Amino acid sequence: MSLTASDPAVVAAERSAMPSPGSAPLMRVSGLRVAVDGGRREVVHGVGFEVHRGETVGIVGESGSGKTLACRSLLGILPHGADRTAGELLFDGVDLGTLSERQWRGVRGARISAVFQDPASYLNPSIRVGRQLDEVHRVRVGLSRRAARAASVAALARLGLVDPERVYLQYPFELSGGMLQRVLLAIALAAEPELLIADEATTALDVTVQAEVLDLLAELRATTGLTVILVSHDLAVVSQVCDRVYVMREGNVVEHGPTRRVLRAPQDEYTRSLLEAHDRYGIERLHADAPQEEAS
Ligand SMILES: Nc1ncnc2c1ncn2[C@@H]1O[C@H](COP(=O)(O)OP(=O)(O)OP(=O)(O)O)[C@@H](O)[C@H]1O
Ligand SMILES: [Mg+2]
């Protein structure tokens, strides 16, 4: 791998990943700081990133680098003991930091949605999944009971669940991890959010199911223009679906840029070490989409 940022393939990839000039980002985060332990320990140190409409942006970095806390800040759902101490979170021109809890409810789950790693823990184990999906269609979208049911079954079908009528009637424990993640995606997407945050959403799934869920995200993006922030420690996943990527280390963004540039010609020492760690684990898919590497 000897490509540099000035190679034509890299330049072309950068250009195609570039947002259209003049368009304001859907989300612009600047100077985000998060502290834990009641404010005693700062773990996110003034992070900034931008996400444009229709883009899929990756956030990578080792465990504990602050990816999840940064994302949860965008949803206004930091865990107990963690607080946003500084930063501007401009979403569609509005600073989310100024919203009241009531105003947040109009954004979270409606305009910004999220899926996390452990789908089962976000579902009520004693309520059939269809009912849980209906709830979103009724409360967020304002559908009648009957219309909500139809919308829920349609959503389950759209997310590739083979027998949606049956899944609708099932309890979370009756579904596999991949099915649960699809149900959770259906719930996250029910109100047609503009921004979806997927934090290690495919990590717990086996490789085949993971690929299916990623394909699904790509399809939703193509058909609905969905904007996605994808957090993953898996550089192969990121290289497959993200236009641009931010690399976090110890609470800072150490590098960002078009995915192909960052992963093929990393400028930062830490990004290089992440890539090397990956190579050691034999992940060859990482560069598999490079045209000049196709077998002739
Ligand atoms: N609720 C919490 N209370 C105290 N410290 C926390 C809490 N949540 C996270 N932290 C700490 O904040 C730092 C950043 O955590 P975060 O979960 O954002 O990392 P991450 O990059 O998402 O890691 P991973 O890849 O393992 O998911 C870590 O040092 C973590 O221990
Ligand atoms: Mg995390």
Side-chain angles (χ1 to χ4, degrees):
M1 189 50 50
S2 59
L3 278 178
T4 67
S6 59
D7 276 307
V10 176
V11 173
E14 297 208 6
R15 192 167 300 136
S16 69
M18 217 105 85
S20 53
S23 64
L26 177 60
M27 176 71 88
R28 176 187 281 147
V29 174
S30 52
L32 172 64
R33 292 178 184 273
V34 179
V36 298
D37 302 338
R40 282 194 295 278
R41 184 162 67 100
E42 186 178 275
V43 289
V44 175
H45 311 294
V47 155
F49 54 90
E50 286 186 1
V51 188
H52 289 258
R53 286 181 194 278
E55 247 193 329
T56 296
V57 167
I59 302 181
V60 302
E62 69 193 354
S63 185
S65 55
K67 305 180 297 294
T68 293
L69 291 183
C71 285
R72 294 187 82 104
S73 299
L74 308 186
L75 289 158
I77 47 163
L78 283 169
H80 185 71
D83 299 289
R84 186 170 56 84
T85 53
E88 195 178 51
L89 312 171
L90 270 189
F91 175 67
D92 199 15
V94 174
D95 186 358
L96 296 175
T98 65
L99 299 189
S100 65
E101 189 43 47
R102 187 159 171 270
Q103 290 170 317
W104 258 119
R105 284 198 289 273
V107 173
R108 191 192 302 128
R111 299 188 64 194
I112 308 176
S113 256
V115 273
F116 296 97
Q117 182 169 1
D118 44 346
S121 68
Y122 293 90
L123 291 166
N124 186 324
S126 58
I127 301 178
R128 296 176 199 268
V129 297
R131 292 281 302 282
Q132 300 190 53
L133 190 47
D134 285 359
E135 179 79 8
V136 187
H137 284 119
R138 289 175 57 203
V139 176
R140 298 260 180 227
V141 191
L143 298 182
S144 68
R145 195 174 285 269
R146 181 185 292 189
R149 183 187 166 117
S152 297
V153 173
L156 294 172
R158 186 162 71 116
L159 289 196
L161 287 152
V162 177
D163 190 349
E165 295 275 359
R166 177 153 183 268
V167 173
Y168 180 92
L169 292 171
Q170 285 179 309
Y171 289 93
F173 71 85
E174 295 178 281
L175 304 179
S176 69
M179 292 169 91
L180 283 175
Q181 200 56 281
R182 282 163 203 265
V183 169
L184 222 61
L185 264 174
I187 289 174
L189 296 170
E192 299 185 359
E194 289 141 87
L195 175 64
L196 176 75
I197 299 173
D199 185 356
E200 302 284 6
T202 62
T203 305
L205 306 176
D206 72 49
V207 182
T208 318
V209 180
Q210 169 170 299
E212 283 173 19
V213 174
L214 290 174
D215 285 348
L216 191 65
L217 280 181
E219 190 189 314
L220 287 167
R221 178 189 179 185
T223 54
T224 68
L226 183 67
T227 307
V228 180
I229 296 178
L230 186 117
V231 178
S232 180
H233 68 276
D234 188 337
L235 297 179
V237 165
V238 166
S239 77
Q240 201 184 320
V241 296
C242 296
D243 303 303
R244 291 189 305 114
V245 63
Y246 288 80
V247 182
M248 284 189 71
R249 181 189 195 192
E250 293 175 359
N252 294 297
V253 169
V254 293
E255 174 161 19
H256 68 95
T259 307
R260 186 165 296 187
R261 205 276 294 146
V262 171
L263 297 187
R264 299 181 126 228
Q267 309 292 301
D268 184 84
E269 190 58 40
Y270 173 66
T271 313
R272 254 175 259 156
S273 70
L274 269 187
L275 278 162
E276 275 162 22
H278 244 275
D279 288 342
R280 271 205 299 281
Y281 295 120
I283 294 174
E284 281 132 19
R285 274 188 304 149
L286 189 55
H287 300 301
D289 60 345
Q292 56 272 69
E293 286 172 5
E294 275 170 14
S296 51

